[in-house]
Amino acid sequence: MWCEPWKTGCAVTVKVTPRASKNAILGAEADWLRVALTAPPVDGKANEAARRFLAEALDLPRTSVTLLSGQTARLKRFAIAGLTPEALRSKLGL
């Protein structure tokens, strides 16, 4: 499951496709949420871009989105504070 309850909200597993033509949520699969980002996978730029993009897509402050794991991998896990898994899916229309 790509979205699970977490301490202060939910945890989301994201598969990032860097260097895309535009930032977009491409949909959810069984194990991850697929996200395309324009940022390159260099020096943590894609990590920060993913954090900012998720916060913007969910209409949350950037401080509500924290990278838990996957700093150097395409598969990343983020903590989203203040949203239940159901509320997150609803905001993303999934």
Side-chain angles (χ1 to χ4, degrees), residues 18-73:
R19 291 191 178 126
S21 59
K22 65 178 183 173
N23 292 337
I25 294 175
L26 303 176
E29 297 185 22
D31 296 327
W32 58 71
L33 179 68
R34 187 174 294 272
V35 175
L37 299 171
T38 58
V42 179
D43 299 327
K45 290 181 182 179
N47 293 337
E48 182 59 22
R51 190 175 76 84
R52 287 175 183 245
F53 179 68
L54 286 172
E56 183 180 305
L58 297 168
D59 195 29
L60 294 171
R62 281 179 274 162
T63 56
S64 296
V65 181
T66 306
L67 182 63
L68 298 173
S69 64
Q71 287 80 358
T72 59

